[in-house]
Amino acid sequence: MVPAASGADLPGGTGPLRTHLADGRELLYFFDAGRTASSAAPVPPPDTRALPPRPGTPRMRYDRLLGEWISYAEHRQTRTHLPPASECPLCPSAPGHATEIPAAGYDVAVFENRFPAFGPGTGPGESGGTEVLAIGRCEVVAFAPEHQASFTGLTLERVRTVIRAWTHRTAELSRVPGVEQVFIFENRGADIGVTLHHPHGQIYAYPFPAPRTLRQLESAQSYHAETGGDLFQDLLARELQEGSRVVVRGRRWTAYVPYAARMPLEVHVVPHRQVPDLASLTDSEREELSVLYLDVLRRIDALYPTPTPYIAAWYQAPVNHPDRDTYRLHLQVTSPRRAENKLKYLAGSEAAMGAFIADVSPEATAARLRDAAPAAIAGTAGVPS
């Protein structure tokens, strides 16, 4: 079961400061070490905006041909799209510009998405049928108050705060009735399709186990039936033994380009210990993760003169799946950038058939990342090995 991680029991610091926005959505402030709710913001400023009522919960339909659910959230057509910095909804509020974050400053802020793909309805889902309510919850995670910042530019202390927020939200959302999987991700760059430039990520609390996760579990089950082995452990062991695709190796985590990478840039960050989700990590594992993850992202950015677009996706075990404890938490960072001025597009074979054709070898990508010179991470000598 998912351990509790709410309130003051968060590892490495106190719990978040909770408040609500004008339309009833929840907002949580997380603070860097040494800063607490009482010292940083004893009374959360109110949201003074006149907001319209929240949209109704979308409906989703079941695709029997592929065995997948599709959410139809038509209100998302009106969501904010690449506004100028002066109109950014994730910057701290200022006179004449009230935003989604009423405070005049913050460290990390998490709030319910105004344009959710799932929710705001929660609770037991409708049973039966191929069209039901898309219950669940969608949240936005603002990494920093500075509009021009990026995850790669965060301090190590701020990365720790972000990971603490991810951990808290994983544990709490996993206990929400109707939630079956918690997905944490960051889309970075216009080429990926971001709608806001401000550094942020998102959290989706799905009302079903995601198709990609179920596919991985099915592969693990088949592998165990054939060999008696643990697929997740054996894949990691192979990468560590061969070494040619390893980017960074620590005591508790390893980052590598997978043997069958699909994208021009693809790095998996995998814990050495079997854990189902972020809430199950130890303090030592979170600490090493903060250093190693920042190192990997900075290596990716060091490849080219301009920032590289990417998707950073946390794969966590489904909440109620019978094989939950056999699943291994891991991060996948992918980018379509195959050269300084070239992107890989999912064309006929990939988009229609799901049959990928790679442009570069995983070994070549790993070598480039190992040779990259990432910006130094202040306050640390690097990833312990």
Side-chain angles (χ1 to χ4, degrees):
M1 297 298 291
V2 178
S6 118
D9 62 346
L10 273 170
T14 60
L17 176 64
R18 296 176 185 266
T19 184
H20 289 84
L21 298 172
D23 56 2
R25 288 176 293 135
E26 191 171 26
L27 165 65
L28 299 89
Y29 294 100
F30 291 82
F31 305 97
D32 293 344
R35 284 164 51 80
T36 63
S38 58
S39 64
V43 179
D47 182 6
T48 58
R49 297 172 298 169
L51 296 177
R54 300 181 68 179
T57 301
R59 298 193 72 82
M60 59 185 186
R61 294 178 177 176
Y62 189 67
D63 180 347
R64 288 201 176 277
L65 193 59
L66 293 179
E68 300 174 357
W69 287 99
I70 312 298
S71 176
Y72 293 87
E74 296 177 76
H75 58 264
R76 288 174 56 80
Q77 283 279 49
T78 61
R79 68 187 185 274
T80 308
H81 183 76
L82 298 179
S86 60
E87 299 176 14
C88 175
L90 303 187
C91 287
S93 289
H97 180 47
T99 74
E100 292 281 68
I101 305 171
Y106 63 90
D107 294 340
V108 173
V110 180
F111 59 90
E112 290 184 79
N113 198 322
R114 187 176 172 184
F115 306 96
F118 300 93
T122 58
E126 300 170 86
S127 60
T130 58
E131 180 173 335
V132 297
L133 285 173
I135 61 171
R137 181 153 157 156
C138 293
E139 298 181 341
V140 177
V141 184
F143 300 144
E146 297 83 12
H147 184 77
Q148 300 299 333
S150 68
F151 201 104
T152 55
L154 298 181
T155 64
L156 181 58
E157 190 57 56
R158 180 57 51 78
V159 174
R160 293 185 184 116
T161 305
V162 172
I163 292 174
R164 197 164 70 246
W166 288 342
T167 300
H168 180 281
R169 301 315 300 144
T170 293
E172 189 161 277
L173 292 173
S174 293
R175 294 192 294 270
V176 173
V179 168
E180 294 295 330
Q181 185 168 359
V182 178
F183 174 49
I184 295 172
F185 63 104
E186 179 196 0
N187 296 331
R188 191 247 205 152
D191 290 321
I192 292 297
V194 298
T195 57
L196 297 173
H197 288 305
H198 195 108
H200 73 287
Q202 298 184 66
I203 304 175
Y204 277 15
Y206 294 123
F208 50 77
R212 185 68 61 86
T213 308
L214 290 178
R215 178 75 179 273
Q216 292 176 343
L217 279 168
E218 290 168 1
S219 295
Q221 292 164 353
S222 297
Y223 181 82
H224 181 74
E226 294 169 6
T227 69
D230 179 335
L231 177 59
F232 294 101
Q233 180 61 35
D234 289 355
L235 286 175
L236 174 61
R238 174 183 181 175
E239 297 297 346
L240 291 174
Q241 180 179 11
E242 296 185 4
S244 60
R245 292 176 296 276
V246 172
V247 178
V248 183
R249 179 176 180 176
R251 293 174 185 166
R252 300 172 178 86
W253 297 81
T254 292
Y256 61 84
V257 179
Y259 174 77
R262 287 168 168 75
M263 301 301 289
L265 278 174
E266 181 172 344
V267 181
H268 293 191
V269 179
V270 181
H272 294 176
R273 186 173 66 93
Q274 176 69 41
V275 289
D277 58 20
L278 287 162
S280 302
L281 295 173
T282 65
D283 289 349
S284 296
E285 287 167 332
R286 291 188 186 91
E287 176 60 26
E288 183 174 294
L289 172 62
S290 65
V291 180
L292 188 142
Y293 183 34
L294 196 54
D295 179 274
V296 167
L297 292 185
R298 289 183 178 182
R299 286 177 186 274
I300 290 173
D301 261 3
L303 293 177
Y304 301 106
T306 55
T308 289
Y310 63 75
I311 297 173
W314 278 105
Y315 286 71
Q316 305 197 85
V319 175
N320 297 306
H321 196 281
D323 294 318
R324 165 183 167 78
D325 290 334
T326 68
Y327 190 84
R328 182 167 299 205
L329 163 77
H330 65 283
L331 173 75
Q332 294 188 15
V333 184
T334 58
S335 173
R337 196 174 195 179
R338 58 189 177 92
E340 183 174 350
N341 298 308
K342 296 178 180 178
L343 295 176
K344 175 181 179 63
Y345 294 97
L346 300 189
S349 186
E350 292 92 353
M353 288 286 99
F356 276 73
I357 302 167
D359 302 292
V360 294
S361 74
E363 291 76 13
T365 298
R368 291 184 64 213
L369 289 168
R370 283 196 302 270
D371 293 340
I377 300 174
T380 177
V383 180
S385 59

